[in-house]
Amino acid sequence: MDLDFLNEGHKYRELPRSYVIFICTYDYIGADLPVYYFEKFDRQNFLQFGDEAYSIILNTACSPKKVPEPLKALFEYINDPTKGSGDVLVADIDRQVSRFNTDEWRRRHMTLQELMDRNYEQGLEKGCAEGEAFGLEKGRAEGETAGQAVATLKLARNFKNAGISAEVIAENTGLSLEEIEKL
């Protein structure tokens, strides 16, 4: 994400302050707090990274009494979008959600994960089909070879039973004298 904020040729330290806000309807951290703030920190040396990149998690599943007043309408809306609170921010969010929450918009804006999943499934199908075709061809070839071997042994046995010498049978079938003696 940092690359989206940094123009080519600029230094990493020139990145502007950034906030990534996750809205969770479950308590990812498990401390029953309404808001979690994170920034990069070196635990071993107790140093801040100082890139001013922050992650904020809004936990709409926390105890209602812990939700700060400015967030109450937003949390209520996220937990139940059918409830109208009269809050201006929530009304604006609801308009934007309605605008983008359509089948057509979803089709046009496939997420990277969906694309990767689709490509994986297509690759898996193609790999399975190629593997099956290869296996069938190999099985056919091995079956033909085995069938030819059985036919050769049967022919050699018939020749042996007819009194033809082992040397002549070996010369015409490609079998060894030891194989012919075992027949």
Side-chain angles (χ1 to χ4, degrees):
M1 188 173 89
D2 290 343
L3 294 176
D4 292 335
F5 294 115
L6 193 62
N7 294 322
E8 188 174 335
H10 288 225
K11 305 276 188 243
Y12 186 76
R13 67 179 172 270
E14 296 177 45
L15 277 171
R17 177 180 299 152
S18 65
Y19 296 91
V20 176
I21 301 172
F22 299 93
I23 301 175
C24 296
T25 56
Y26 57 93
D27 192 353
Y28 180 77
I29 305 301
D32 194 36
L33 296 173
V35 182
Y36 300 100
Y37 298 92
F38 295 96
E39 59 186 281
K40 295 177 188 162
F41 183 78
D42 178 347
R43 292 186 305 181
Q44 185 175 359
N45 300 302
F46 304 102
L47 299 171
Q48 288 184 315
F49 190 59
D51 64 351
E52 294 192 283
Y54 305 96
S55 294
I56 300 170
I57 297 176
L58 299 180
N59 169 28
T60 67
C62 75
S63 301
K65 63 182 179 283
K66 292 185 176 183
V67 179
E69 192 59 41
L71 293 177
K72 283 187 180 193
L74 176 64
F75 278 34
E76 184 177 274
Y77 171 76
I78 291 168
N79 289 327
D80 185 358
T82 62
K83 291 185 179 176
S85 67
D87 184 88
V88 175
L89 174 64
V90 170
D92 189 42
I93 290 171
D94 188 57
R95 275 192 299 279
Q96 294 299 324
V97 167
S98 296
R99 179 177 159 213
F100 291 108
N101 196 13
T102 65
D103 289 339
E104 188 235 330
W105 187 87
R106 278 190 213 94
R107 277 191 299 279
R108 286 191 343 212
H109 295 84
M110 182 182 293
T111 67
L112 176 60
Q113 185 62 48
E114 289 169 331
L115 180 61
M116 288 172 36
D117 289 347
R118 187 181 72 187
N119 288 343
Y120 171 80
E121 291 297 325
Q122 288 174 344
L124 185 61
E125 287 173 15
K126 182 179 178 186
C128 287
E130 288 175 3
E132 183 177 352
F134 174 77
L136 288 171
E137 183 58 36
K138 187 173 181 182
R140 256 188 236 104
E142 289 176 2
E144 286 175 13
T145 302
Q148 289 170 352
V150 168
T152 300
L153 288 172
K154 187 174 180 181
L155 183 64
R157 186 177 301 116
N158 290 341
F159 284 155
K160 186 177 177 184
N161 291 339
I164 297 174
S165 73
E167 291 78 17
V168 172
I169 297 172
E171 186 178 313
N172 288 285
T173 62
L175 296 173
S176 68
L177 291 174
E178 292 83 27
E179 290 173 310
I180 294 168
E181 287 177 19
K182 290 180 185 176
L183 296 175

mmCIF file with all atom_site columns, all heavy atoms in Angstrom, residues 106-122:
data_model
loop_
_atom_site.group_PDB
_atom_site.id
_atom_site.type_symbol
_atom_site.label_atom_id
_atom_site.label_alt_id
_atom_site.label_comp_id
_atom_site.label_asym_id
_atom_site.label_entity_id
_atom_site.label_seq_id
_atom_site.pdbx_PDB_ins_code
_atom_site.Cartn_x
_atom_site.Cartn_y
_atom_site.Cartn_z
_atom_site.occupancy
_atom_site.B_iso_or_equiv
_atom_site.pdbx_formal_charge
_atom_site.auth_seq_id
_atom_site.auth_comp_id
_atom_site.auth_asym_id
_atom_site.auth_atom_id
_atom_site.pdbx_PDB_model_num
ATOM 1   N N   . ARG A 1 106 ? -20.207 -5.321  -8.259  1.00 0.00 ? 106 ARG A N   1
ATOM 2   C CA  . ARG A 1 106 ? -19.379 -6.444  -7.812  1.00 0.00 ? 106 ARG A CA  1
ATOM 3   C C   . ARG A 1 106 ? -18.715 -7.135  -8.996  1.00 0.00 ? 106 ARG A C   1
ATOM 4   O O   . ARG A 1 106 ? -17.561 -7.517  -8.933  1.00 0.00 ? 106 ARG A O   1
ATOM 5   C CB  . ARG A 1 106 ? -20.205 -7.453  -7.019  1.00 0.00 ? 106 ARG A CB  1
ATOM 6   C CG  . ARG A 1 106 ? -20.397 -7.060  -5.586  1.00 0.00 ? 106 ARG A CG  1
ATOM 7   C CD  . ARG A 1 106 ? -21.022 -8.223  -4.801  1.00 0.00 ? 106 ARG A CD  1
ATOM 8   N NE  . ARG A 1 106 ? -21.868 -7.688  -3.779  1.00 0.00 ? 106 ARG A NE  1
ATOM 9   C CZ  . ARG A 1 106 ? -23.171 -7.477  -3.888  1.00 0.00 ? 106 ARG A CZ  1
ATOM 10  N NH1 . ARG A 1 106 ? -23.808 -7.800  -4.978  1.00 0.00 ? 106 ARG A NH1 1
ATOM 11  N NH2 . ARG A 1 106 ? -23.847 -6.958  -2.901  1.00 0.00 ? 106 ARG A NH2 1
ATOM 12  N N   . ARG A 1 107 ? -19.474 -7.324  -10.076 1.00 0.00 ? 107 ARG A N   1
ATOM 13  C CA  . ARG A 1 107 ? -18.905 -7.979  -11.257 1.00 0.00 ? 107 ARG A CA  1
ATOM 14  C C   . ARG A 1 107 ? -17.762 -7.160  -11.837 1.00 0.00 ? 107 ARG A C   1
ATOM 15  O O   . ARG A 1 107 ? -16.765 -7.688  -12.287 1.00 0.00 ? 107 ARG A O   1
ATOM 16  C CB  . ARG A 1 107 ? -19.984 -8.196  -12.321 1.00 0.00 ? 107 ARG A CB  1
ATOM 17  C CG  . ARG A 1 107 ? -20.822 -9.430  -12.105 1.00 0.00 ? 107 ARG A CG  1
ATOM 18  C CD  . ARG A 1 107 ? -21.682 -9.731  -13.325 1.00 0.00 ? 107 ARG A CD  1
ATOM 19  N NE  . ARG A 1 107 ? -22.623 -8.675  -13.661 1.00 0.00 ? 107 ARG A NE  1
ATOM 20  C CZ  . ARG A 1 107 ? -23.797 -8.499  -13.071 1.00 0.00 ? 107 ARG A CZ  1
ATOM 21  N NH1 . ARG A 1 107 ? -24.193 -9.317  -12.117 1.00 0.00 ? 107 ARG A NH1 1
ATOM 22  N NH2 . ARG A 1 107 ? -24.592 -7.517  -13.439 1.00 0.00 ? 107 ARG A NH2 1
ATOM 23  N N   . ARG A 1 108 ? -17.929 -5.840  -11.840 1.00 0.00 ? 108 ARG A N   1
ATOM 24  C CA  . ARG A 1 108 ? -16.893 -4.982  -12.435 1.00 0.00 ? 108 ARG A CA  1
ATOM 25  C C   . ARG A 1 108 ? -15.681 -4.824  -11.544 1.00 0.00 ? 108 ARG A C   1
ATOM 26  O O   . ARG A 1 108 ? -14.607 -4.485  -12.021 1.00 0.00 ? 108 ARG A O   1
ATOM 27  C CB  . ARG A 1 108 ? -17.479 -3.603  -12.734 1.00 0.00 ? 108 ARG A CB  1
ATOM 28  C CG  . ARG A 1 108 ? -18.400 -3.600  -13.914 1.00 0.00 ? 108 ARG A CG  1
ATOM 29  C CD  . ARG A 1 108 ? -18.757 -2.210  -14.357 1.00 0.00 ? 108 ARG A CD  1
ATOM 30  N NE  . ARG A 1 108 ? -18.473 -1.194  -13.363 1.00 0.00 ? 108 ARG A NE  1
ATOM 31  C CZ  . ARG A 1 108 ? -19.163 -0.085  -13.192 1.00 0.00 ? 108 ARG A CZ  1
ATOM 32  N NH1 . ARG A 1 108 ? -20.182 0.163   -13.956 1.00 0.00 ? 108 ARG A NH1 1
ATOM 33  N NH2 . ARG A 1 108 ? -18.836 0.787   -12.260 1.00 0.00 ? 108 ARG A NH2 1
ATOM 34  N N   . HIS A 1 109 ? -15.818 -5.010  -10.276 1.00 0.00 ? 109 HIS A N   1
ATOM 35  C CA  . HIS A 1 109 ? -14.726 -4.769  -9.339  1.00 0.00 ? 109 HIS A CA  1
ATOM 36  C C   . HIS A 1 109 ? -14.372 -6.042  -8.575  1.00 0.00 ? 109 HIS A C   1
ATOM 37  O O   . HIS A 1 109 ? -14.441 -6.090  -7.355  1.00 0.00 ? 109 HIS A O   1
ATOM 38  C CB  . HIS A 1 109 ? -15.101 -3.649  -8.363  1.00 0.00 ? 109 HIS A CB  1
ATOM 39  C CG  . HIS A 1 109 ? -15.279 -2.350  -9.051  1.00 0.00 ? 109 HIS A CG  1
ATOM 40  N ND1 . HIS A 1 109 ? -16.469 -1.999  -9.648  1.00 0.00 ? 109 HIS A ND1 1
ATOM 41  C CD2 . HIS A 1 109 ? -14.423 -1.328  -9.285  1.00 0.00 ? 109 HIS A CD2 1
ATOM 42  C CE1 . HIS A 1 109 ? -16.335 -0.801  -10.193 1.00 0.00 ? 109 HIS A CE1 1
ATOM 43  N NE2 . HIS A 1 109 ? -15.110 -0.377  -9.995  1.00 0.00 ? 109 HIS A NE2 1
ATOM 44  N N   . MET A 1 110 ? -13.982 -7.057  -9.314  1.00 0.00 ? 110 MET A N   1
ATOM 45  C CA  . MET A 1 110 ? -13.586 -8.318  -8.688  1.00 0.00 ? 110 MET A CA  1
ATOM 46  C C   . MET A 1 110 ? -12.318 -8.073  -7.852  1.00 0.00 ? 110 MET A C   1
ATOM 47  O O   . MET A 1 110 ? -11.399 -7.394  -8.294  1.00 0.00 ? 110 MET A O   1
ATOM 48  C CB  . MET A 1 110 ? -13.299 -9.365  -9.768  1.00 0.00 ? 110 MET A CB  1
ATOM 49  C CG  . MET A 1 110 ? -12.918 -10.711 -9.209  1.00 0.00 ? 110 MET A CG  1
ATOM 50  S SD  . MET A 1 110 ? -12.518 -11.903 -10.509 1.00 0.00 ? 110 MET A SD  1
ATOM 51  C CE  . MET A 1 110 ? -14.078 -12.120 -11.274 1.00 0.00 ? 110 MET A CE  1
ATOM 52  N N   . THR A 1 111 ? -12.302 -8.620  -6.676  1.00 0.00 ? 111 THR A N   1
ATOM 53  C CA  . THR A 1 111 ? -11.123 -8.434  -5.830  1.00 0.00 ? 111 THR A CA  1
ATOM 54  C C   . THR A 1 111 ? -9.966  -9.295  -6.327  1.00 0.00 ? 111 THR A C   1
ATOM 55  O O   . THR A 1 111 ? -10.149 -10.268 -7.058  1.00 0.00 ? 111 THR A O   1
ATOM 56  C CB  . THR A 1 111 ? -11.415 -8.820  -4.367  1.00 0.00 ? 111 THR A CB  1
ATOM 57  O OG1 . THR A 1 111 ? -11.652 -10.227 -4.323  1.00 0.00 ? 111 THR A OG1 1
ATOM 58  C CG2 . THR A 1 111 ? -12.591 -8.048  -3.813  1.00 0.00 ? 111 THR A CG2 1
ATOM 59  N N   . LEU A 1 112 ? -8.777  -8.925  -5.935  1.00 0.00 ? 112 LEU A N   1
ATOM 60  C CA  . LEU A 1 112 ? -7.587  -9.683  -6.305  1.00 0.00 ? 112 LEU A CA  1
ATOM 61  C C   . LEU A 1 112 ? -7.699  -11.113 -5.800  1.00 0.00 ? 112 LEU A C   1
ATOM 62  O O   . LEU A 1 112 ? -7.357  -12.061 -6.514  1.00 0.00 ? 112 LEU A O   1
ATOM 63  C CB  . LEU A 1 112 ? -6.333  -9.017  -5.726  1.00 0.00 ? 112 LEU A CB  1
ATOM 64  C CG  . LEU A 1 112 ? -5.026  -9.750  -5.941  1.00 0.00 ? 112 LEU A CG  1
ATOM 65  C CD1 . LEU A 1 112 ? -4.739  -9.926  -7.430  1.00 0.00 ? 112 LEU A CD1 1
ATOM 66  C CD2 . LEU A 1 112 ? -3.885  -9.012  -5.258  1.00 0.00 ? 112 LEU A CD2 1
ATOM 67  N N   . GLN A 1 113 ? -8.207  -11.297 -4.603  1.00 0.00 ? 113 GLN A N   1
ATOM 68  C CA  . GLN A 1 113 ? -8.342  -12.656 -4.062  1.00 0.00 ? 113 GLN A CA  1
ATOM 69  C C   . GLN A 1 113 ? -9.294  -13.487 -4.913  1.00 0.00 ? 113 GLN A C   1
ATOM 70  O O   . GLN A 1 113 ? -9.029  -14.648 -5.189  1.00 0.00 ? 113 GLN A O   1
ATOM 71  C CB  . GLN A 1 113 ? -8.834  -12.619 -2.614  1.00 0.00 ? 113 GLN A CB  1
ATOM 72  C CG  . GLN A 1 113 ? -8.876  -13.980 -1.960  1.00 0.00 ? 113 GLN A CG  1
ATOM 73  C CD  . GLN A 1 113 ? -7.510  -14.633 -1.861  1.00 0.00 ? 113 GLN A CD  1
ATOM 74  O OE1 . GLN A 1 113 ? -6.554  -14.017 -1.439  1.00 0.00 ? 113 GLN A OE1 1
ATOM 75  N NE2 . GLN A 1 113 ? -7.403  -15.882 -2.250  1.00 0.00 ? 113 GLN A NE2 1
ATOM 76  N N   . GLU A 1 114 ? -10.405 -12.885 -5.333  1.00 0.00 ? 114 GLU A N   1
ATOM 77  C CA  . GLU A 1 114 ? -11.342 -13.612 -6.191  1.00 0.00 ? 114 GLU A CA  1
ATOM 78  C C   . GLU A 1 114 ? -10.675 -14.000 -7.501  1.00 0.00 ? 114 GLU A C   1
ATOM 79  O O   . GLU A 1 114 ? -10.858 -15.103 -8.005  1.00 0.00 ? 114 GLU A O   1
ATOM 80  C CB  . GLU A 1 114 ? -12.587 -12.764 -6.466  1.00 0.00 ? 114 GLU A CB  1
ATOM 81  C CG  . GLU A 1 114 ? -13.486 -12.615 -5.256  1.00 0.00 ? 114 GLU A CG  1
ATOM 82  C CD  . GLU A 1 114 ? -14.561 -11.568 -5.470  1.00 0.00 ? 114 GLU A CD  1
ATOM 83  O OE1 . GLU A 1 114 ? -14.340 -10.612 -6.230  1.00 0.00 ? 114 GLU A OE1 1
ATOM 84  O OE2 . GLU A 1 114 ? -15.625 -11.713 -4.855  1.00 0.00 ? 114 GLU A OE2 1
ATOM 85  N N   . LEU A 1 115 ? -9.895  -13.075 -8.073  1.00 0.00 ? 115 LEU A N   1
ATOM 86  C CA  . LEU A 1 115 ? -9.183  -13.357 -9.316  1.00 0.00 ? 115 LEU A CA  1
ATOM 87  C C   . LEU A 1 115 ? -8.180  -14.480 -9.113  1.00 0.00 ? 115 LEU A C   1
ATOM 88  O O   . LEU A 1 115 ? -8.087  -15.403 -9.925  1.00 0.00 ? 115 LEU A O   1
ATOM 89  C CB  . LEU A 1 115 ? -8.485  -12.088 -9.819  1.00 0.00 ? 115 LEU A CB  1
ATOM 90  C CG  . LEU A 1 115 ? -7.691  -12.210 -11.113 1.00 0.00 ? 115 LEU A CG  1
ATOM 91  C CD1 . LEU A 1 115 ? -8.611  -12.619 -12.262 1.00 0.00 ? 115 LEU A CD1 1
ATOM 92  C CD2 . LEU A 1 115 ? -6.998  -10.891 -11.427 1.00 0.00 ? 115 LEU A CD2 1
ATOM 93  N N   . MET A 1 116 ? -7.451  -14.419 -8.009  1.00 0.00 ? 116 MET A N   1
ATOM 94  C CA  . MET A 1 116 ? -6.473  -15.474 -7.722  1.00 0.00 ? 116 MET A CA  1
ATOM 95  C C   . MET A 1 116 ? -7.175  -16.810 -7.503  1.00 0.00 ? 116 MET A C   1
ATOM 96  O O   . MET A 1 116 ? -6.719  -17.844 -7.999  1.00 0.00 ? 116 MET A O   1
ATOM 97  C CB  . MET A 1 116 ? -5.628  -15.087 -6.496  1.00 0.00 ? 116 MET A CB  1
ATOM 98  C CG  . MET A 1 116 ? -4.663  -13.964 -6.803  1.00 0.00 ? 116 MET A CG  1
ATOM 99  S SD  . MET A 1 116 ? -3.770  -13.263 -5.379  1.00 0.00 ? 116 MET A SD  1
ATOM 100 C CE  . MET A 1 116 ? -3.452  -14.611 -4.327  1.00 0.00 ? 116 MET A CE  1
ATOM 101 N N   . ASP A 1 117 ? -8.288  -16.801 -6.784  1.00 0.00 ? 117 ASP A N   1
ATOM 102 C CA  . ASP A 1 117 ? -9.048  -18.030 -6.553  1.00 0.00 ? 117 ASP A CA  1
ATOM 103 C C   . ASP A 1 117 ? -9.545  -18.609 -7.870  1.00 0.00 ? 117 ASP A C   1
ATOM 104 O O   . ASP A 1 117 ? -9.468  -19.812 -8.106  1.00 0.00 ? 117 ASP A O   1
ATOM 105 C CB  . ASP A 1 117 ? -10.244 -17.780 -5.618  1.00 0.00 ? 117 ASP A CB  1
ATOM 106 C CG  . ASP A 1 117 ? -9.833  -17.521 -4.181  1.00 0.00 ? 117 ASP A CG  1
ATOM 107 O OD1 . ASP A 1 117 ? -8.655  -17.773 -3.837  1.00 0.00 ? 117 ASP A OD1 1
ATOM 108 O OD2 . ASP A 1 117 ? -10.688 -17.062 -3.398  1.00 0.00 ? 117 ASP A OD2 1
ATOM 109 N N   . ARG A 1 118 ? -10.082 -17.735 -8.735  1.00 0.00 ? 118 ARG A N   1
ATOM 110 C CA  . ARG A 1 118 ? -10.586 -18.197 -10.027 1.00 0.00 ? 118 ARG A CA  1
ATOM 111 C C   . ARG A 1 118 ? -9.449  -18.782 -10.870 1.00 0.00 ? 118 ARG A C   1
ATOM 112 O O   . ARG A 1 118 ? -9.586  -19.846 -11.457 1.00 0.00 ? 118 ARG A O   1
ATOM 113 C CB  . ARG A 1 118 ? -11.261 -17.053 -10.776 1.00 0.00 ? 118 ARG A CB  1
ATOM 114 C CG  . ARG A 1 118 ? -11.954 -17.527 -12.059 1.00 0.00 ? 118 ARG A CG  1
ATOM 115 C CD  . ARG A 1 118 ? -12.584 -16.405 -12.806 1.00 0.00 ? 118 ARG A CD  1
ATOM 116 N NE  . ARG A 1 118 ? -11.516 -15.628 -13.405 1.00 0.00 ? 118 ARG A NE  1
ATOM 117 C CZ  . ARG A 1 118 ? -11.696 -14.482 -14.027 1.00 0.00 ? 118 ARG A CZ  1
ATOM 118 N NH1 . ARG A 1 118 ? -12.881 -13.961 -14.104 1.00 0.00 ? 118 ARG A NH1 1
ATOM 119 N NH2 . ARG A 1 118 ? -10.687 -13.837 -14.552 1.00 0.00 ? 118 ARG A NH2 1
ATOM 120 N N   . ASN A 1 119 ? -8.304  -18.090 -10.909 1.00 0.00 ? 119 ASN A N   1
ATOM 121 C CA  . ASN A 1 119 ? -7.157  -18.597 -11.668 1.00 0.00 ? 119 ASN A CA  1
ATOM 122 C C   . ASN A 1 119 ? -6.652  -19.917 -11.098 1.00 0.00 ? 119 ASN A C   1
ATOM 123 O O   . ASN A 1 119 ? -6.269  -20.811 -11.847 1.00 0.00 ? 119 ASN A O   1
ATOM 124 C CB  . ASN A 1 119 ? -6.032  -17.566 -11.701 1.00 0.00 ? 119 ASN A CB  1
ATOM 125 C CG  . ASN A 1 119 ? -6.352  -16.386 -12.592 1.00 0.00 ? 119 ASN A CG  1
ATOM 126 O OD1 . ASN A 1 119 ? -7.256  -16.450 -13.420 1.00 0.00 ? 119 ASN A OD1 1
ATOM 127 N ND2 . ASN A 1 119 ? -5.635  -15.296 -12.414 1.00 0.00 ? 119 ASN A ND2 1
ATOM 128 N N   . TYR A 1 120 ? -6.663  -20.061 -9.781  1.00 0.00 ? 120 TYR A N   1
ATOM 129 C CA  . TYR A 1 120 ? -6.246  -21.309 -9.147  1.00 0.00 ? 120 TYR A CA  1
ATOM 130 C C   . TYR A 1 120 ? -7.168  -22.444 -9.570  1.00 0.00 ? 120 TYR A C   1
ATOM 131 O O   . TYR A 1 120 ? -6.713  -23.519 -9.945  1.00 0.00 ? 120 TYR A O   1
ATOM 132 C CB  . TYR A 1 120 ? -6.246  -21.157 -7.625  1.00 0.00 ? 120 TYR A CB  1
ATOM 133 C CG  . TYR A 1 120 ? -6.032  -22.458 -6.899  1.00 0.00 ? 120 TYR A CG  1
ATOM 134 C CD1 . TYR A 1 120 ? -4.759  -22.984 -6.757  1.00 0.00 ? 120 TYR A CD1 1
ATOM 135 C CD2 . TYR A 1 120 ? -7.104  -23.180 -6.378  1.00 0.00 ? 120 TYR A CD2 1
ATOM 136 C CE1 . TYR A 1 120 ? -4.550  -24.188 -6.112  1.00 0.00 ? 120 TYR A CE1 1
ATOM 137 C CE2 . TYR A 1 120 ? -6.907  -24.381 -5.735  1.00 0.00 ? 120 TYR A CE2 1
ATOM 138 C CZ  . TYR A 1 120 ? -5.629  -24.875 -5.593  1.00 0.00 ? 120 TYR A CZ  1
ATOM 139 O OH  . TYR A 1 120 ? -5.435  -26.077 -4.962  1.00 0.00 ? 120 TYR A OH  1
ATOM 140 N N   . GLU A 1 121 ? -8.481  -22.197 -9.488  1.00 0.00 ? 121 GLU A N   1
ATOM 141 C CA  . GLU A 1 121 ? -9.449  -23.226 -9.867  1.00 0.00 ? 121 GLU A CA  1
ATOM 142 C C   . GLU A 1 121 ? -9.303  -23.617 -11.335 1.00 0.00 ? 121 GLU A C   1
ATOM 143 O O   . GLU A 1 121 ? -9.343  -24.797 -11.677 1.00 0.00 ? 121 GLU A O   1
ATOM 144 C CB  . GLU A 1 121 ? -10.891 -22.748 -9.595  1.00 0.00 ? 121 GLU A CB  1
ATOM 145 C CG  . GLU A 1 121 ? -11.231 -22.614 -8.127  1.00 0.00 ? 121 GLU A CG  1
ATOM 146 C CD  . GLU A 1 121 ? -11.165 -23.932 -7.375  1.00 0.00 ? 121 GLU A CD  1
ATOM 147 O OE1 . GLU A 1 121 ? -11.502 -24.974 -7.955  1.00 0.00 ? 121 GLU A OE1 1
ATOM 148 O OE2 . GLU A 1 121 ? -10.777 -23.917 -6.203  1.00 0.00 ? 121 GLU A OE2 1
ATOM 149 N N   . GLN A 1 122 ? -9.121  -22.613 -12.211 1.00 0.00 ? 122 GLN A N   1
ATOM 150 C CA  . GLN A 1 122 ? -8.945  -22.911 -13.634 1.00 0.00 ? 122 GLN A CA  1
ATOM 151 C C   . GLN A 1 122 ? -7.654  -23.695 -13.858 1.00 0.00 ? 122 GLN A C   1
ATOM 152 O O   . GLN A 1 122 ? -7.622  -24.636 -14.650 1.00 0.00 ? 122 GLN A O   1
ATOM 153 C CB  . GLN A 1 122 ? -8.940  -21.622 -14.455 1.00 0.00 ? 122 GLN A CB  1
ATOM 154 C CG  . GLN A 1 122 ? -10.300 -20.981 -14.559 1.00 0.00 ? 122 GLN A CG  1
ATOM 155 C CD  . GLN A 1 122 ? -10.251 -19.620 -15.245 1.00 0.00 ? 122 GLN A CD  1
ATOM 156 O OE1 . GLN A 1 122 ? -9.199  -19.008 -15.394 1.00 0.00 ? 122 GLN A OE1 1
ATOM 157 N NE2 . GLN A 1 122 ? -11.421 -19.132 -15.652 1.00 0.00 ? 122 GLN A NE2 1
#
